Amino acid sequence: MRTRSVGTSLIAVLALVSSACTTGASTSPSTSPSSAPASSAAASSAAASTPATTSAAPSSDLKIGVVTDVGTVDDKNFNQYSYEGAQKGAADIGAVAPKVVVPADASQYAPDINNFISQGFNIIVTVGFNLTTDTIKAAKANADVWFIGVDQAPLCITETGDPDTAATPKCAGDPAKLLPKYIAISYEEDQAGYLAGIVAAGITKADKVGAIGGVNLVPAVVRYIQGYELGAKSVNPNIEVDTAYVTTSDFTKAFNDPATGATFAKQFIAQKGVDVLFQVAGKTGNGVLQAACAANIAGIGVDVDQWISLNAASDKTYGCIVTSAEKHLSDSVESAIKGISDGSAKGGNVLYDAAKGGVGVAPFTSSISVPQATQDAVTQALAAMAAGTLKTCPSDCGQP
């Protein structure tokens, strides 16, 4: 029987939201929750003679829109869990359910954002590093609209608040002052990757572990893998850590092509002989995990608890997933929306790291046993990260 160890669980289990993608900002996914605010709860009567009182449910007229990256909103990963955070945030404040749009390609980022603006939306969540430039431009041009950029910090802007696209950017502008309603969220991916590396080194029998990223143009992907290598070597300095990227330019193949991911991983496993494989490739990475399980080696997921998101308990295609390196995507988006609603939110770069509870690893799963010493090492490393005493990325962190 497969069990999930809760001894090293670093977050509460996230609820899976399956949503169908839309083609326009004015249409919600078919499985979106009701837009009605939560029902008010009746308070208990203090005495039989005293009329019952009712506490009003929260209510907000804020309109929330979500622009994901290319792919699907039900990718069981980055887009989906970020959107889930927007749904939860809307429910928390009593706003109508957020609208969502999935761009067909990168050329649609700006038009999709602007469609929400023209329709009077107050909060626009843009999902992913690739939307940073268009979100910066929109935030500068629409100072009365709040923007939540997931995986978009630290922002690099000029003194005038424009994207700094120079060959050698100076990043001289202060986002908190120049774009005060743009909350740019980032995560310490190298910390989550480091924890995954500890797990990989603790369960390998061949002393050969691997990682496959979608594309090396995304610093977050690179940081995950750099942290993974350092984490594995912290356990065994002589361990072999093989890494590769599905592509160096094609973002669709990198993050939205499970078939390519499976084929790429099958060849990688055969060539490298690894017995643990970490995927950092979104939906393409689901194919990487399929290949790992088909080869009877251990798989490690990314961004969310993929044992849950891929229904690994029932779908044996993913039954080899041991854990996942997590960003707490849903929690961070939900928190930002609540902050906007209650007036506590501030624009600028917001880092979700171990100290802030923003990253971790999912509960251990599958039939592969994780030694207690490895579980202890994960706990100790997380504590050291939170204390700021553990280096989890090299000096060229995030650079391919």
Side-chain angles (χ1 to χ4, degrees):
M1 174 181 292
R2 292 186 173 88
T3 60
R4 289 172 57 79
S5 167
V6 297
T8 57
S9 175
L10 304 175
I11 63 163
V13 176
L14 300 176
L16 174 63
V17 179
S18 296
S19 306
C21 65
T22 64
T23 57
S26 61
T27 305
S28 295
S30 60
T31 54
S32 293
S34 168
S35 60
S39 299
S40 59
S44 298
S45 175
S49 59
T50 304
T53 58
T54 303
S55 60
S59 178
S60 172
D61 59 2
L62 291 173
K63 295 173 64 178
I64 303 168
V66 180
V67 181
T68 73
D69 204 343
V70 295
T72 63
V73 75
D74 59 345
D75 63 356
K76 297 180 170 60
N77 206 288
F78 205 92
N79 285 347
Q80 181 170 323
Y81 277 70
S82 298
Y83 175 50
E84 176 195 301
Q87 291 178 305
K88 291 165 63 178
D92 290 339
I93 66 174
V96 297
K99 306 289 187 181
V100 63
V101 61
V102 181
D105 54 52
S107 70
Q108 294 301 306
Y109 294 156
D112 288 340
I113 292 170
N114 288 325
N115 280 342
F116 278 132
I117 293 170
S118 66
Q119 294 175 48
F121 279 70
N122 313 102
I123 301 173
I124 301 173
V125 181
T126 60
V127 182
F129 170 81
N130 294 326
L131 282 80
T132 303
T133 296
D134 289 310
T135 307
I136 290 172
K137 292 178 180 178
K140 181 185 178 184
N142 300 275
D144 58 338
V145 178
W146 279 95
F147 293 85
I148 301 171
V150 184
D151 226 26
Q152 294 176 17
L155 293 178
C156 182
I157 60 175
T158 66
E159 297 92 333
T160 58
D162 297 298
D164 192 338
T165 57
T168 305
K170 297 180 180 179
C171 305
D174 182 352
K177 293 180 179 179
L178 298 173
L179 305 172
K181 287 193 174 182
Y182 182 4
I183 301 171
I185 298 173
S186 65
Y187 306 86
E188 201 76 68
E189 293 91 359
D190 47 285
Q191 290 184 340
Y194 192 100
L195 299 173
I198 291 175
V199 175
I203 62 176
T204 180
K205 304 299 182 185
D207 285 338
K208 293 183 179 182
V209 301
I212 293 177
V215 64
N216 63 354
L217 299 178
V218 178
V221 173
V222 178
R223 286 195 297 268
Y224 261 132
I225 291 177
Q226 290 173 323
Y228 177 77
E229 182 170 1
L230 289 179
K233 289 185 177 294
S234 74
V235 176
N236 177 5
N238 298 316
I239 195 171
E240 182 178 322
V241 183
D242 291 300
T243 64
Y245 293 89
V246 175
T247 176
T248 58
S249 60
D250 189 331
F251 280 80
T252 298
K253 283 188 177 296
F255 300 112
N256 194 40
D257 192 343
T260 291
T263 300
F264 188 93
K266 182 178 180 181
Q267 296 172 346
F268 178 88
I269 294 166
Q271 292 171 359
K272 303 299 183 181
V274 301
D275 62 357
V276 185
L277 187 56
F278 176 37
Q279 78 92 353
V280 192
K283 198 169 182 179
T284 297
N286 295 348
V288 172
L289 292 174
Q290 290 177 5
C293 294
N296 294 313
I297 68 172
I300 297 178
V302 76
D303 289 337
V304 302
D305 185 346
Q306 292 204 274
W307 178 271
I308 292 176
S309 72
L310 294 175
N311 193 28
S314 299
D315 186 349
K316 305 309 177 187
T317 304
Y318 301 104
C320 70
I321 297 174
V322 177
T323 189
S324 299
E326 291 184 311
K327 297 178 182 179
H328 299 167
L329 301 165
S330 178
D331 292 348
S332 55
V333 174
E334 178 185 15
S335 177
I337 290 173
K338 290 169 67 176
I340 292 170
S341 178
D342 66 23
S344 64
K346 295 180 179 179
N349 298 319
V350 179
L351 176 65
Y352 280 81
D353 58 5
K356 199 169 182 177
V359 297
V361 290
F364 300 130
T365 54
S366 88
S367 57
I368 299 172
S369 176
V370 178
Q372 185 61 48
T374 300
Q375 299 183 39
D376 293 342
V378 167
T379 301
Q380 292 164 7
L382 185 65
M385 291 173 193
T389 58
L390 180 61
K391 183 176 177 60
T392 57
C393 213
S395 57
D396 62 343
C397 192
Q399 300 300 313

